[in-house]
């Protein structure tokens, strides 16, 4: 897997190093929670690591990110 470029979310409930998004040459995208205080959620379920698919809703703190395919 390849680590994606860093981006910053301005949300007081998001840890400084909250989660990492990654992808591979086949187009697979995933997210890894970095032992954040408030957790990382995909479609409402708390995750440690998850392969994502188009339409998934990732929640970190009060911020929501939808993966478009």
């Amino acid at each position: 897997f390849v680590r994606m470029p860093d981006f910053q979310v301005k949300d007081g409930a998001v840890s400084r190093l909250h989660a990492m998004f990654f992808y591979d040459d086949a187009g697979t995208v995933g997210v890894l929670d970095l032992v954040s205080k408030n957790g990382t959620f995909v479609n409402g379920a708390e995750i440690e690591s998850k392969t994502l698919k188009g339409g998934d809703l990732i929640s970190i703190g009060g911020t929501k990110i939808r993966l478009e395919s």
Side-chain angles (χ1 to χ4, degrees):
F1 284 102
V2 176
R3 187 172 168 262
M4 297 173 82
D6 292 345
F7 63 92
Q8 187 176 45
V9 175
K10 293 187 179 193
D11 179 332
V14 174
S15 302
R16 190 167 151 243
L17 295 172
H18 194 104
M20 180 174 71
F21 290 85
F22 54 88
Y23 66 96
D24 66 14
D25 292 335
T28 303
V29 178
V31 62
L32 171 68
D33 182 75
L34 299 176
V35 194
S36 62
K37 181 179 178 184
N38 293 320
T40 299
F41 298 80
V42 176
N43 301 322
E46 189 167 14
I47 58 96
E48 290 182 13
S49 179
K50 176 119 176 110
T51 300
L52 301 171
K53 61 186 182 312
D56 280 346
L57 184 64
I58 302 97
S59 302
I60 54 175
T63 301
K64 298 193 182 330
I65 302 164
R66 182 165 313 275
L67 181 68
E68 298 293 329
S69 54

